[in-house]
Structure formats: C-alpha cells, structure tokens
Amino acid sequence: MTDKILGVYFPKDADLYAQRQTNIYEQFLKSLEAVIFSIRGSNVPITPSVIKKAEIEFEQRKQVALDLLTEGDLLYPFEDAKDLETLYEQENRFFEANKATFLSALKFGSLEIYHLFEVHGGFGLLAQQRSTEIKWTIRSKRGARLDACRAFYVNHRDFAYQTFLDMIVEENPEAKLFTVDLASAPFEKTAIKRADLKDRDSDIRKLVFHVGSNNWIAGAK
C-alpha cells in the first residue's frame, strides 16, 4: 500500500458518514410524526389554515435537517465530489416524498398500522390507542416503493464510497494499475486498470465497487 493511499478514507468511513446522515434524516421524520399525532390527537378540524401552518412547520424542520446534513458533508472532502449535486437532488426527492406523506396523514389520517410504540405519558397513551405509525417511503426510478430511511442510507453510503475511490485515483496520478482487496475473499486480490477505476461508468468498476460493496484499494503501481 502506498503512503498516499494510507491517507485516504476507507469503506468504514463511508458507512459512518451514511449512518450519521441517516440518523439526522430519521430524527427529522420522527419530528414530523410528533407534529401529526399532536394535531390529530387534539381532534381539531383539519382546516386549510391548519394545513398551512403544518406546511410552514415542515419547511422549518426540513431546513434544520438540511443544515445538519450540510455539516456532515463538511466533515469530509466532498466540495468537489462528482455527484454532490446529484446527491442534493436525491435528498430533495426524499423531502418532497416526505411532505406528500406528511400532508396526506394530516388530511386523511392515512396511517399504516404497525404495533411499534412503546412510550409513556400523553403521547404514549395516544400511540397505544391508535397503535399506528406513518410508513415513510420513496419510489425508486423503477417505481418500487422503498423504505425511506434505508434508501437514504444506501444513497449516501454509495456516494461516499464512490467519492473515496475517485480520491484514490486523484492522489495517485502516476499509477497505472491498482490492486484490490476483495472483502468476500480476504486472502485474494485482483487488479484494475487506471482507466477502469477512473471511469464510474466502467463495467469493471461497477462490478467490483457496486452498491453495498466493501472491496477496497490495497496498493497502486
């Protein structure tokens, strides 16, 4: 392993980044649930003014979440990352889907039943009475309905993982060949040419460094 590569992040850092960002996102969703249950639990009529106030509160909570997510991005050298703007566009898709679910739950009480509450106090009583939780989902490009938190984690993990690989290429401008440690076969290695590692659309890169992969660069020459 070269000295330059030793200074670069590793798959576990991609995991930590994705988990940090997902924790923030999950807390954002939980705060929306608290708003929904508070309003519906008060039995006030769901008037246009109530919806308008809820929309304002959604945007305020969204901005707090975005600020915290940006802080997470600043912990890593992502300023010039190739897919940073794409990541932000994906995050916006999540928030748009969340807003639609949020407003639907307020207007129509479309809460999917899950026996997942174990809390106390007034909110706990309300939760026990209804035994409900909002199911936060987002549709994939193929139209499949995905768990929002899980999809959020996968998106951010792959963004960081692919960005760290790009960093290795940039930090080793003279390397022609990179040695890869295979996570599924710890004692086996393979090699990948610079052109294939540099190109995110390369079939070889996609095969070796796919979503969820923990394969990593062991050296360069």
Side-chain angles (χ1 to χ4, degrees):
M1 184 178 289
T2 67
D3 290 339
K4 288 182 179 179
I5 293 178
L6 284 173
V8 177
Y9 295 96
F10 293 90
K12 63 181 177 61
D13 296 291
D15 297 336
L16 291 172
Y17 165 77
Q19 190 58 62
R20 180 197 184 278
Q21 303 300 80
T22 304
N23 288 344
I24 292 168
Y25 177 65
E26 188 173 17
Q27 289 305 309
F28 163 71
L29 296 182
K30 288 183 180 300
S31 75
L32 295 183
E33 290 178 6
V35 172
I36 292 167
F37 284 116
S38 176
I39 293 175
R40 296 197 66 83
S42 67
N43 292 319
V44 298
I46 308 301
T47 62
S49 63
V50 170
I51 294 297
K52 184 64 177 178
K53 289 179 180 178
E55 288 180 324
I56 293 173
E57 189 152 9
F58 176 93
E59 294 300 327
Q60 292 173 339
R61 291 168 187 265
K62 170 186 169 183
Q63 189 57 54
V64 171
L66 285 172
D67 290 343
L68 292 172
L69 291 171
T70 300
E71 289 179 9
D73 293 334
L74 295 176
L75 294 174
Y76 296 90
F78 291 157
E79 294 86 353
D80 300 319
K82 293 181 180 179
D83 279 3
L84 186 57
E85 289 303 318
T86 300
L87 181 70
Y88 291 159
E89 291 173 4
Q90 290 173 344
E91 287 179 349
N92 189 56
R93 283 187 61 245
F94 278 88
F95 287 119
E96 288 178 355
N98 300 152
K99 186 172 184 178
T101 302
F102 175 74
L103 294 178
S104 176
L106 277 177
K107 294 175 181 177
F108 310 114
S110 53
L111 309 179
E112 299 201 22
I113 297 176
Y114 286 90
H115 298 280
L116 296 176
F117 285 101
E118 184 140 358
V119 290
H120 304 284
F123 183 72
L125 178 60
L126 173 63
Q128 291 166 12
Q129 288 172 344
R130 297 195 177 189
S131 295
T132 58
E133 183 184 21
I134 298 169
K135 188 174 183 181
W136 302 99
T137 61
I138 186 168
R139 287 195 179 276
S140 69
K141 292 181 179 179
R142 296 182 178 181
R145 192 175 293 277
L146 308 173
D147 177 83
C149 285
R150 177 58 185 162
F152 195 88
Y153 177 90
V154 170
N155 280 4
H156 286 72
R157 198 272 184 184
D158 192 58
F159 162 75
Y161 184 53
Q162 300 299 331
T163 299
F164 295 155
L165 291 169
D166 292 337
M167 289 169 58
I168 289 181
V169 176
E170 294 169 4
E171 289 293 317
N172 294 272
E174 297 179 0
K176 303 298 182 184
L177 195 68
F178 295 85
T179 304
V180 180
D181 274 337
L182 301 175
S184 59
F187 300 106
E188 293 184 23
K189 298 181 185 298
T190 189
I192 182 170
K193 295 179 180 179
R194 179 184 186 82
D196 289 321
L197 183 60
K198 185 176 181 180
D199 182 8
R200 287 196 179 191
D201 292 324
S202 163
D203 290 338
I204 294 177
R205 173 159 167 168
K206 289 180 178 179
L207 178 65
V208 178
F209 301 107
H210 54 81
V211 175
S213 170
N214 281 294
N215 294 333
W216 201 239
I217 306 300
K221 56 185 178 180

